[in-house]
Amino acid sequence: MKTFQKLLIIILFVHYSCSDETTIQQDNQQLESNLKENVNVSSRAGLKQIGTGVMMQAFYWDVPAGGTWWQVVEGKVQDWSNAGIDAIWLPPASKAQNGAFSMGYDPFDYYDFGQYNQMGSTETRFGSKTELQSLISNAHNVGLNVIADIVINHNSGGDLEPNPYTGTPYYTDFNPLSGNFYRSNADFHPNNVHSNDSGGFGGFPDLCHHQAYVQDWLWKRSNSVAKYYKNVIGFDGWRFDYVKGFEPWVVREWKNAVGGFSVGEYWDGNAGTLDWWSGEAQASAFDFACYYRMRDAFEGNNLNRLNDDMLWKRNSSKAVTFVANHDTDEIYNGKLLAYAYILTHEGYPTIFYRDYEEWLSKSKLNNLIWIHNNLAGGSTSILYTDNDEYVAKRNGYNNAGLVVYINNSNSWQERWVETNWSNTRIKDYTGHSSWEPVTQGGRWVKIQVPPKSYSVWAPK
């Protein structure tokens, strides 16, 4: 079947424009050149170490169409780096079925970043390949890692073809103009490997990762999707979409083949399940358990829920914490309090673009990012909780640590707490309190916090 498809594509290429043929030749030349250089993501010079700062989700659902988004983000990378961001997460960057209108989660041609005229457009919703590479280059110049959103559970945009395994035609005939990774019915479920698959999503054709051909094109070949993203486009790491749809070994094998930071979207509020997936995939996971407990705490006015199980409490090195993302935004009234929580606690925190650039106080978020990067070291000890108040301390690691006091009530609160410091003058690094108390010889001190707010205390 694939031999027939390749012959068909050669015939069809005759009808494509000279500009598309030139683009294909240029892409192949660039790929060959970069593969010879053997670029290694893990040792790319001058980048910040991922996890030492904060990740920025550099998009939201339905960002403006028109091919300008890569330029918008490029204009912000210097300020983000200055603020303490160490990585930016971009939306799915390759051509999808809806062309210039797609957010990228319906992938068609993994090698078209806005340089081929197919699916109704040349550019993607976000811009051209040249603009994407310019963005990545400038992000690298200011020390930022660039995380690719990888959608490999399903594809979209194929032509209708017979399926000998079901007897029913389906849209599994993929003939991408890039000339790479043609797909047919054997590459999707159901096929000769599996009669069915539990990972279906939205009715899209569901890739079969057990097929050697699919593995080769996704991560094994010298010009695989993974290696093209890394060596030609310049990505440094991976955010895997909808990892519930396929086994965790797929992420593990991808990472082993190309390296780079990896985080999976396993949408489940059970911390044990997230911990299991992270261990099997040998990758980080978004801490949905933390997200849901924060929603219950700040929206449900019960800060005792912050005592509950979360991935960061089980394995902080693999927990990517977040308050909002492009799919969900359920924390409203207490959103800044939630950011105060994740930016003072363990885990690798993520900030949502619209929260930072549009909806919340950028100065307050910058302050919390600074606190995270400079004070929030070591293990965490919860000191006090009730419905309205939460106090915890970081015990310090190559820094003094901190005490964070979160108040969800409508009045000022005060509390005696045991700190890490004896006979030490401390201050609130948020500026919300003007107190500068001195801790007792036994490390106890009284601290305060404004209504519906937070304070963060450390040695002056």
Side-chain angles (χ1 to χ4, degrees), residues 273-315:
T273 302
L274 297 172
D275 195 25
W276 163 82
W277 183 89
S278 177
E280 291 294 312
Q282 296 178 9
S284 296
F286 285 103
D287 196 345
F288 280 93
C290 176
Y291 168 79
Y292 283 118
R293 300 301 84 73
M294 289 192 299
R295 183 197 64 181
D296 296 342
F298 298 117
E299 291 297 306
N301 297 313
N302 184 6
L303 269 56
N304 285 309
R305 295 307 304 271
L306 298 178
N307 286 315
D308 293 351
D309 199 8
M310 305 176 192
L311 178 58
W312 74 258
K313 297 181 181 182
R314 290 174 174 248
N315 190 347

Short mmCIF file of all heavy atoms in Angstrom, two decimals, residues 273-315:
data_model
loop_
_atom_site.label_atom_id
_atom_site.label_comp_id
_atom_site.label_asym_id
_atom_site.label_seq_id
_atom_site.Cartn_x
_atom_site.Cartn_y
_atom_site.Cartn_z
N THR A 273 -2.13 7.98 40.09
CA THR A 273 -2.15 7.67 38.66
C THR A 273 -1.12 8.51 37.91
O THR A 273 -0.42 8.00 37.03
CB THR A 273 -3.56 7.93 38.08
OG1 THR A 273 -4.51 7.14 38.78
CG2 THR A 273 -3.61 7.59 36.60
N LEU A 274 -1.03 9.78 38.24
CA LEU A 274 -0.03 10.64 37.60
C LEU A 274 1.38 10.16 37.91
O LEU A 274 2.26 10.17 37.03
CB LEU A 274 -0.22 12.08 38.07
CG LEU A 274 -1.54 12.75 37.70
CD1 LEU A 274 -1.65 14.11 38.40
CD2 LEU A 274 -1.68 12.92 36.20
N ASP A 275 1.60 9.75 39.14
CA ASP A 275 2.91 9.25 39.55
C ASP A 275 3.25 7.98 38.78
O ASP A 275 4.39 7.77 38.35
CB ASP A 275 2.92 9.00 41.06
CG ASP A 275 4.31 8.83 41.62
OD1 ASP A 275 5.28 9.33 41.02
OD2 ASP A 275 4.44 8.19 42.68
N TRP A 276 2.27 7.10 38.62
CA TRP A 276 2.47 5.87 37.84
C TRP A 276 2.85 6.20 36.41
O TRP A 276 3.83 5.66 35.88
CB TRP A 276 1.19 5.02 37.85
CG TRP A 276 1.20 3.99 36.76
CD1 TRP A 276 1.81 2.76 36.78
CD2 TRP A 276 0.60 4.12 35.46
NE1 TRP A 276 1.63 2.12 35.58
CE2 TRP A 276 0.90 2.93 34.75
CE3 TRP A 276 -0.14 5.12 34.83
CZ2 TRP A 276 0.46 2.71 33.44
CZ3 TRP A 276 -0.58 4.91 33.53
CH2 TRP A 276 -0.28 3.73 32.85
N TRP A 277 2.07 7.08 35.76
CA TRP A 277 2.37 7.41 34.36
C TRP A 277 3.75 8.03 34.22
O TRP A 277 4.53 7.67 33.33
CB TRP A 277 1.31 8.37 33.79
CG TRP A 277 1.58 8.64 32.34
CD1 TRP A 277 1.11 7.92 31.27
CD2 TRP A 277 2.43 9.65 31.80
NE1 TRP A 277 1.62 8.43 30.10
CE2 TRP A 277 2.43 9.50 30.39
CE3 TRP A 277 3.18 10.68 32.36
CZ2 TRP A 277 3.16 10.33 29.54
CZ3 TRP A 277 3.92 11.51 31.52
CH2 TRP A 277 3.90 11.35 30.13
N SER A 278 4.08 8.94 35.11
CA SER A 278 5.38 9.61 35.05
C SER A 278 6.52 8.61 35.16
O SER A 278 7.52 8.71 34.44
CB SER A 278 5.47 10.65 36.17
OG SER A 278 6.73 11.27 36.19
N GLY A 279 6.37 7.64 36.05
CA GLY A 279 7.40 6.63 36.21
C GLY A 279 7.54 5.75 34.98
O GLY A 279 8.65 5.43 34.55
N GLU A 280 6.40 5.34 34.41
CA GLU A 280 6.43 4.49 33.23
C GLU A 280 6.99 5.23 32.00
O GLU A 280 7.73 4.66 31.20
CB GLU A 280 5.03 3.97 32.92
CG GLU A 280 4.50 2.98 33.93
CD GLU A 280 5.28 1.68 33.92
OE1 GLU A 280 5.52 1.13 32.82
OE2 GLU A 280 5.68 1.21 35.01
N ALA A 281 6.62 6.49 31.86
CA ALA A 281 7.06 7.28 30.71
C ALA A 281 8.45 7.86 30.90
O ALA A 281 9.08 8.31 29.94
CB ALA A 281 6.07 8.41 30.44
N GLN A 282 8.94 7.86 32.15
CA GLN A 282 10.21 8.51 32.49
C GLN A 282 10.18 9.97 32.04
O GLN A 282 11.12 10.48 31.42
CB GLN A 282 11.38 7.76 31.88
CG GLN A 282 11.53 6.34 32.43
CD GLN A 282 12.67 5.56 31.80
OE1 GLN A 282 13.48 6.10 31.04
NE2 GLN A 282 12.71 4.27 32.08
N ALA A 283 9.08 10.62 32.37
CA ALA A 283 8.86 12.01 31.96
C ALA A 283 8.08 12.73 33.05
O ALA A 283 7.51 12.10 33.95
CB ALA A 283 8.09 12.06 30.64
N SER A 284 8.04 14.03 32.96
CA SER A 284 7.23 14.82 33.88
C SER A 284 5.76 14.74 33.48
O SER A 284 5.43 14.33 32.35
CB SER A 284 7.68 16.28 33.87
OG SER A 284 9.01 16.41 34.36
N ALA A 285 4.89 15.14 34.39
CA ALA A 285 3.45 15.17 34.11
C ALA A 285 2.86 16.45 34.69
O ALA A 285 3.30 16.93 35.73
CB ALA A 285 2.75 13.95 34.74
N PHE A 286 1.87 16.99 34.00
CA PHE A 286 1.14 18.12 34.56
C PHE A 286 0.38 17.65 35.80
O PHE A 286 -0.29 16.61 35.77
CB PHE A 286 0.17 18.70 33.53
CG PHE A 286 0.85 19.52 32.47
CD1 PHE A 286 1.06 19.01 31.20
CD2 PHE A 286 1.31 20.79 32.75
CE1 PHE A 286 1.69 19.75 30.23
CE2 PHE A 286 1.95 21.55 31.78
CZ PHE A 286 2.15 21.02 30.51
N ASP A 287 0.50 18.43 36.87
CA ASP A 287 -0.06 18.02 38.15
C ASP A 287 -1.53 18.41 38.24
O ASP A 287 -1.92 19.37 38.90
CB ASP A 287 0.74 18.66 39.28
CG ASP A 287 0.48 17.99 40.63
OD1 ASP A 287 -0.52 17.24 40.73
OD2 ASP A 287 1.25 18.23 41.58
N PHE A 288 -2.37 17.60 37.58
CA PHE A 288 -3.81 17.84 37.63
C PHE A 288 -4.37 17.63 39.03
O PHE A 288 -5.38 18.23 39.39
CB PHE A 288 -4.53 16.95 36.62
CG PHE A 288 -4.49 17.47 35.21
CD1 PHE A 288 -3.49 17.06 34.34
CD2 PHE A 288 -5.43 18.37 34.75
CE1 PHE A 288 -3.43 17.54 33.04
CE2 PHE A 288 -5.39 18.86 33.46
CZ PHE A 288 -4.39 18.44 32.59
N ALA A 289 -3.73 16.78 39.83
CA ALA A 289 -4.17 16.60 41.21
C ALA A 289 -4.03 17.92 41.96
O ALA A 289 -4.94 18.33 42.70
CB ALA A 289 -3.35 15.50 41.88
N CYS A 290 -2.92 18.60 41.78
CA CYS A 290 -2.72 19.91 42.41
C CYS A 290 -3.74 20.92 41.87
O CYS A 290 -4.32 21.69 42.64
CB CYS A 290 -1.30 20.39 42.15
SG CYS A 290 -0.92 22.04 42.76
N TYR A 291 -3.97 20.91 40.57
CA TYR A 291 -4.92 21.84 39.97
C TYR A 291 -6.31 21.70 40.59
O TYR A 291 -6.94 22.69 40.98
CB TYR A 291 -4.99 21.60 38.46
CG TYR A 291 -6.13 22.32 37.79
CD1 TYR A 291 -6.04 23.67 37.50
CD2 TYR A 291 -7.32 21.66 37.49
CE1 TYR A 291 -7.10 24.35 36.91
CE2 TYR A 291 -8.37 22.32 36.90
CZ TYR A 291 -8.27 23.67 36.61
OH TYR A 291 -9.32 24.33 36.04
N TYR A 292 -6.79 20.47 40.69
CA TYR A 292 -8.14 20.26 41.21
C TYR A 292 -8.22 20.57 42.70
O TYR A 292 -9.24 21.08 43.19
CB TYR A 292 -8.60 18.83 40.94
CG TYR A 292 -9.02 18.63 39.50
CD1 TYR A 292 -8.35 17.73 38.67
CD2 TYR A 292 -10.08 19.36 38.97
CE1 TYR A 292 -8.74 17.55 37.35
CE2 TYR A 292 -10.47 19.19 37.65
CZ TYR A 292 -9.79 18.28 36.84
OH TYR A 292 -10.17 18.12 35.53
N ARG A 293 -7.16 20.29 43.47
CA ARG A 293 -7.18 20.62 44.89
C ARG A 293 -7.16 22.14 45.08
O ARG A 293 -7.81 22.66 46.00
CB ARG A 293 -5.98 20.00 45.61
CG ARG A 293 -5.89 18.48 45.54
CD ARG A 293 -7.07 17.74 46.10
NE ARG A 293 -8.17 17.59 45.17
CZ ARG A 293 -8.15 16.73 44.12
NH1 ARG A 293 -7.10 15.97 43.88
NH2 ARG A 293 -9.21 16.63 43.33
N MET A 294 -6.43 22.87 44.23
CA MET A 294 -6.44 24.33 44.31
C MET A 294 -7.82 24.87 43.95
O MET A 294 -8.30 25.83 44.58
CB MET A 294 -5.37 24.92 43.40
CG MET A 294 -3.96 24.71 43.86
SD MET A 294 -2.77 25.73 42.95
CE MET A 294 -3.00 25.13 41.27
N ARG A 295 -8.46 24.30 42.96
CA ARG A 295 -9.82 24.74 42.61
C ARG A 295 -10.75 24.56 43.79
O ARG A 295 -11.52 25.47 44.14
CB ARG A 295 -10.33 23.94 41.41
CG ARG A 295 -11.70 24.36 40.92
CD ARG A 295 -12.32 23.32 40.02
NE ARG A 295 -12.57 22.08 40.76
CZ ARG A 295 -13.09 20.98 40.21
NH1 ARG A 295 -13.40 20.97 38.93
NH2 ARG A 295 -13.28 19.89 40.93
N ASP A 296 -10.67 23.39 44.44
CA ASP A 296 -11.51 23.14 45.62
C ASP A 296 -11.18 24.11 46.75
O ASP A 296 -12.07 24.56 47.48
CB ASP A 296 -11.31 21.71 46.09
CG ASP A 296 -11.76 20.67 45.07
OD1 ASP A 296 -12.52 21.04 44.15
OD2 ASP A 296 -11.33 19.51 45.19
N ALA A 297 -9.89 24.41 46.90
CA ALA A 297 -9.46 25.26 48.01
C ALA A 297 -9.87 26.71 47.82
O ALA A 297 -10.47 27.32 48.71
CB ALA A 297 -7.95 25.15 48.18
N PHE A 298 -9.56 27.27 46.67
CA PHE A 298 -9.73 28.71 46.47
C PHE A 298 -11.12 29.07 45.96
O PHE A 298 -11.66 30.12 46.32
CB PHE A 298 -8.65 29.24 45.53
CG PHE A 298 -7.27 29.06 46.08
CD1 PHE A 298 -6.34 28.26 45.44
CD2 PHE A 298 -6.90 29.68 47.26
CE1 PHE A 298 -5.06 28.09 45.95
CE2 PHE A 298 -5.63 29.51 47.79
CZ PHE A 298 -4.71 28.71 47.14
N GLU A 299 -11.71 28.23 45.14
CA GLU A 299 -13.07 28.48 44.71
C GLU A 299 -14.09 27.94 45.71
O GLU A 299 -15.18 28.49 45.84
CB GLU A 299 -13.31 27.86 43.33
CG GLU A 299 -12.56 28.54 42.19
CD GLU A 299 -12.98 29.98 42.00
OE1 GLU A 299 -14.18 30.24 41.84
OE2 GLU A 299 -12.10 30.86 42.02
N GLY A 300 -13.72 26.87 46.39
CA GLY A 300 -14.64 26.26 47.35
C GLY A 300 -14.46 26.77 48.77
O GLY A 300 -15.12 26.27 49.69
N ASN A 301 -13.54 27.74 48.95
CA ASN A 301 -13.31 28.34 50.28
C ASN A 301 -13.01 27.29 51.34
O ASN A 301 -13.59 27.29 52.42
CB ASN A 301 -14.53 29.18 50.70
CG ASN A 301 -14.76 30.35 49.77
OD1 ASN A 301 -13.82 31.07 49.42
ND2 ASN A 301 -15.99 30.53 49.34
N ASN A 302 -12.07 26.41 50.99
CA ASN A 302 -11.66 25.38 51.94
C ASN A 302 -10.19 25.09 51.74
O ASN A 302 -9.82 24.14 51.05
CB ASN A 302 -12.49 24.12 51.76
CG ASN A 302 -12.17 23.06 52.81
OD1 ASN A 302 -11.39 23.30 53.74
ND2 ASN A 302 -12.75 21.88 52.65
N LEU A 303 -9.33 25.92 52.35
CA LEU A 303 -7.90 25.76 52.14
C LEU A 303 -7.35 24.49 52.78
O LEU A 303 -6.20 24.12 52.53
CB LEU A 303 -7.15 26.99 52.67
CG LEU A 303 -6.92 28.10 51.62
CD1 LEU A 303 -8.21 28.58 51.00
CD2 LEU A 303 -6.15 29.27 52.23
N ASN A 304 -8.19 23.80 53.58
CA ASN A 304 -7.77 22.49 54.08
C ASN A 304 -7.51 21.50 52.95
O ASN A 304 -6.76 20.53 53.15
CB ASN A 304 -8.85 21.91 55.01
CG ASN A 304 -8.86 22.59 56.37
OD1 ASN A 304 -7.82 22.72 57.02
ND2 ASN A 304 -10.04 23.03 56.80
N ARG A 305 -8.10 21.74 51.77
CA ARG A 305 -7.89 20.82 50.64
C ARG A 305 -6.45 20.83 50.15
O ARG A 305 -6.01 19.91 49.46
CB ARG A 305 -8.83 21.18 49.49
CG ARG A 305 -10.32 21.01 49.75
CD ARG A 305 -10.66 19.61 50.28
NE ARG A 305 -10.22 18.53 49.39
CZ ARG A 305 -10.95 18.04 48.39
NH1 ARG A 305 -12.16 18.53 48.14
NH2 ARG A 305 -10.49 17.05 47.66
N LEU A 306 -5.69 21.85 50.55
CA LEU A 306 -4.28 21.89 50.17
C LEU A 306 -3.45 20.88 50.95
O LEU A 306 -2.26 20.67 50.64
CB LEU A 306 -3.72 23.30 50.37
CG LEU A 306 -4.40 24.40 49.52
CD1 LEU A 306 -3.80 25.76 49.83
CD2 LEU A 306 -4.28 24.09 48.03
N ASN A 307 -4.07 20.22 51.93
CA ASN A 307 -3.42 19.11 52.62
C ASN A 307 -3.47 17.82 51.82
O ASN A 307 -2.76 16.86 52.13
CB ASN A 307 -4.08 18.85 53.99
CG ASN A 307 -3.72 19.91 55.01
OD1 ASN A 307 -2.57 20.29 55.14
ND2 ASN A 307 -4.73 20.38 55.74
N ASP A 308 -4.31 17.76 50.79
CA ASP A 308 -4.58 16.52 50.07
C ASP A 308 -3.41 16.12 49.17
O ASP A 308 -2.49 16.89 48.92
CB ASP A 308 -5.86 16.66 49.25
CG ASP A 308 -7.10 16.79 50.12
OD1 ASP A 308 -6.99 16.61 51.34
OD2 ASP A 308 -8.18 17.08 49.56
N ASP A 309 -3.52 14.92 48.64
CA ASP A 309 -2.46 14.32 47.82
C ASP A 309 -2.31 15.04 46.48
O ASP A 309 -3.31 15.40 45.84
CB ASP A 309 -2.78 12.85 47.59
CG ASP A 309 -1.57 12.04 47.17
OD1 ASP A 309 -0.44 12.58 47.21
OD2 ASP A 309 -1.75 10.86 46.80
N MET A 310 -1.06 15.27 46.08
CA MET A 310 -0.75 15.89 44.80
C MET A 310 0.53 15.26 44.27
O MET A 310 1.32 14.69 45.03
CB MET A 310 -0.54 17.40 44.96
CG MET A 310 -1.69 18.14 45.61
SD MET A 310 -1.32 19.89 45.87
CE MET A 310 -2.67 20.36 46.96
N LEU A 311 0.74 15.37 42.96
CA LEU A 311 1.94 14.78 42.38
C LEU A 311 3.20 15.41 42.94
O LEU A 311 4.18 14.72 43.22
CB LEU A 311 1.91 14.91 40.85
CG LEU A 311 3.15 14.35 40.13
CD1 LEU A 311 3.36 12.87 40.44
CD2 LEU A 311 3.05 14.59 38.62
N TRP A 312 3.20 16.73 43.15
CA TRP A 312 4.42 17.36 43.64
C TRP A 312 4.81 16.86 45.02
O TRP A 312 5.99 16.87 45.38
CB TRP A 312 4.33 18.89 43.61
CG TRP A 312 3.47 19.54 44.66
CD1 TRP A 312 2.21 20.04 44.50
CD2 TRP A 312 3.82 19.80 46.03
NE1 TRP A 312 1.75 20.58 45.68
CE2 TRP A 312 2.72 20.46 46.63
CE3 TRP A 312 4.95 19.55 46.82
CZ2 TRP A 312 2.71 20.85 47.97
CZ3 TRP A 312 4.94 19.94 48.15
CH2 TRP A 312 3.83 20.59 48.71
N LYS A 313 3.83 16.40 45.79
CA LYS A 313 4.14 15.85 47.12
C LYS A 313 4.73 14.45 47.02
O LYS A 313 5.48 14.02 47.90
CB LYS A 313 2.87 15.83 47.98
CG LYS A 313 2.30 17.21 48.27
CD LYS A 313 1.08 17.13 49.15
CE LYS A 313 0.49 18.51 49.42
NZ LYS A 313 -0.68 18.47 50.32
N ARG A 314 4.41 13.73 45.95
CA ARG A 314 4.95 12.38 45.74
C ARG A 314 6.30 12.42 45.03
O ARG A 314 7.22 11.67 45.37
CB ARG A 314 3.97 11.54 44.91
CG ARG A 314 2.70 11.16 45.65
CD ARG A 314 1.73 10.47 44.71
NE ARG A 314 0.56 9.96 45.42
CZ ARG A 314 0.28 8.67 45.59
NH1 ARG A 314 1.11 7.74 45.12
NH2 ARG A 314 -0.81 8.30 46.24
N ASN A 315 6.41 13.27 44.01
CA ASN A 315 7.64 13.34 43.21
C ASN A 315 7.74 14.73 42.60
O ASN A 315 7.33 14.96 41.47
CB ASN A 315 7.64 12.27 42.13
CG ASN A 315 8.98 12.14 41.44
OD1 ASN A 315 9.87 13.00 41.60
ND2 ASN A 315 9.16 11.09 40.67
#
